[in-house]
Amino acid sequence: MSKRNLTIDIDPRAYAAVRGLEKYISESGLDKIHYKLIKIRASQMNGCAFCIDKHAREARELGFSEQRIYLLNAWRETELYTEEERAILALTEEVTSIANHGVSDEVYNNAVALLGEAYTKAVVMGVITINAWNRIAITDHWPLK
């Protein structure tokens, strides 16, 4: 993989704009554990090694078990995730792959029923934010640390 100039070095304002989204998320009431689930799952889907590694390490620091991290890409096949977490993961997957079929009423309405509309909107913004980071990291070739 070739070394590329980083977005933050070329135009720090672009990086700052995504940091602004992170600030919104931190003030939105989105639970840190929920946000880690979002970050890891979207990063898995996008193939962002840097973000998967970073957020899996941070999830361990928050008390995630190895099993919950390892099985996240197969969350539908296990009972390790709560009903709310499952709704968040389903919404994460649909927003991340939005070009394939949009966000279904079933997934969106289930999230709203379980989480409330405001929290669901915070989840969506969390998904949008990690997808932005994934695209920057992948395009810039961020190295693993």
Side-chain angles (χ1 to χ4, degrees), residues 28-58:
S28 73
L30 184 62
D31 181 83
K32 287 180 182 182
I33 290 173
H34 291 165
Y35 196 26
K36 283 298 165 209
L37 290 171
I38 291 165
K39 286 180 172 185
I40 296 168
R41 184 64 193 118
S43 298
Q44 289 172 333
M45 293 177 68
N46 289 323
C48 185
F50 178 91
C51 292
I52 294 167
D53 182 61
K54 176 185 188 324
H55 298 300
R57 281 187 283 112
E58 292 171 350

Side-chain angles (χ1 to χ4, degrees), residues 37-84:
L37 290 171
I38 291 165
K39 286 180 172 185
I40 296 168
R41 184 64 193 118
S43 298
Q44 289 172 333
M45 293 177 68
N46 289 323
C48 185
F50 178 91
C51 292
I52 294 167
D53 182 61
K54 176 185 188 324
H55 298 300
R57 281 187 283 112
E58 292 171 350
R60 285 182 198 95
E61 292 170 8
L62 285 174
F64 274 61
S65 69
E66 294 295 315
Q67 189 178 35
R68 276 176 49 92
I69 294 169
Y70 296 149
L71 294 176
L72 191 52
N73 65 337
W75 63 268
R76 287 180 178 84
E77 306 300 321
T78 177
E79 298 299 318
L80 291 174
Y81 307 95
T82 67
E83 190 175 11
E84 291 80 10

